[in-house]
Amino acid sequence: QVQLVQSGAEVKKPGASVKVSCKASGYTFTSYYMHWVRQAPGQGLEWMGIINPSGGSTSYAQKLQGRVTMTRDTSTSTVYMELSSLRSEDTAVYYCARDLEGTRFDPWGQGTLVTVSS
Amino acid sequence: QSALTQPASVSGSPGQSITISCTGTSSDVGGYNYVSWYQQHPGKAPKLMIYDVSNRPSGVSNRFSGSKSGNTASLTISGLQAEDEADYYCSSYTSSSQRVFGTGTKVTVL
């Protein structure tokens, strides 16, 4: 079955960077784009960006431009999301989610909690 | 890109029907038939419930249905059950080829 397994929780200091991984299985990794979505505590979902695992092209939400980088490793079927210059407002659960036909997210990873605190 | 507008909360008694709205603009909801809906229980990842406005993925109950009129999409849950109590989010494709989520709606089963 299609499965997305993310890396574990992280605690970072303000100004640092974090890199979250998402390992895909159960389908052809390079055939489906992957999104990253985050959710601050008690808040709604926020779309962060998308990566094409085939060629590596990316598109990021304007709000995060310059701080977010999405990459992939086709040899391990893993996508990565790196967020730099972390601030307290970046404390959130970060999800990867597979794109289907450009119109929906399915399935989702289990989520990775990133806590930014001094 | 501003978030799509959803009511903060909707409630209903078991067996009743409820409808959640999702209002955007002509650059997202109104411009494309690419609205999807997600159910999220506390501490869990979101789950796809409706896609392309009104399509249900395999395995999702037919008590869930979707529609759209102009810049507003809607999710209807009929025959409300206790297990339907959760947060619901809409999402849309946008004119800049990005995605946007709704503000989220907490559904309470009375």
Side-chain angles (χ1 to χ4, degrees):
Chain A
Q1 75 284 19
V2 176
Q3 197 171 9
L4 303 176
V5 178
Q6 299 182 220
S7 49
E10 304 260 14
V11 179
K12 296 292 182 181
K13 293 193 183 303
S17 296
V18 68
K19 192 170 187 177
V20 180
S21 68
C22 169
K23 183 173 177 59
S25 61
Y27 70 97
T28 302
F29 176 69
T30 51
S31 294
Y32 296 85
Y33 285 54
M34 194 77 78
H35 298 271
W36 286 92
V37 176
R38 70 179 180 178
Q39 185 172 36
Q43 301 301 309
L45 301 172
E46 179 185 12
W47 185 80
M48 299 179 67
I50 185 172
I51 181 169
N52 177 359
S54 179
S57 62
T58 56
S59 175
Y60 304 135
Q62 186 171 6
K63 173 182 176 180
L64 297 172
Q65 286 274 4
R67 288 208 299 138
V68 67
T69 304
M70 296 176 188
T71 57
R72 92 290 188 214
D73 181 342
T74 56
S75 68
T76 60
S77 298
T78 302
V79 295
Y80 300 91
M81 186 285 301
E82 183 170 21
L83 190 61
S84 62
S85 301
L86 289 169
R87 34 223 195 207
S88 59
E89 310 91 87
D90 295 317
T91 293
V93 175
Y94 289 76
Y95 294 100
C96 58
R98 189 181 67 163
D99 179 272
L100 279 184
E101 299 180 333
T103 72
R104 56 200 184 271
F105 310 85
D106 187 47
W108 296 60
Q110 84 277 18
T112 296
L113 176 61
V114 174
T115 302
V116 182
S117 174
S118 55
Chain B
Q1 181 73 49
S2 298
L4 307 175
T5 301
Q6 298 181 229
S9 63
V10 173
S11 62
S13 300
Q16 287 188 328
S17 292
I18 62 169
T19 297
I20 303 168
S21 61
C22 169
T23 301
T25 68
S26 57
S27 295
D28 38 64
V29 174
Y32 308 91
N33 288 324
Y34 296 148
V35 175
S36 51
W37 289 90
Y38 302 86
Q39 177 191 64
Q40 185 180 36
H41 286 110
K44 300 295 187 182
K47 174 189 174 185
L48 176 67
M49 304 301 284
I50 294 287
Y51 67 95
D52 295 354
V53 175
S54 59
N55 293 308
R56 256 189 329 274
S58 173
V60 172
S61 171
N62 59 10
R63 298 185 298 104
F64 291 84
S65 61
S67 63
K68 191 186 87 168
S69 177
N71 295 338
T72 298
S74 299
L75 173 72
T76 297
I77 309 174
S78 58
L80 199 61
Q81 299 180 0
E83 68 211 48
D84 300 331
E85 186 161 294
D87 293 327
Y88 291 83
Y89 294 90
C90 59
S91 179
S92 177
Y93 181 87
T94 76
S95 58
S96 53
S97 300
Q98 300 200 335
R99 312 295 188 275
V100 62
F101 284 99
T103 50
T105 298
K106 181 178 180 59
V107 169
T108 301
V109 181
L110 301 171

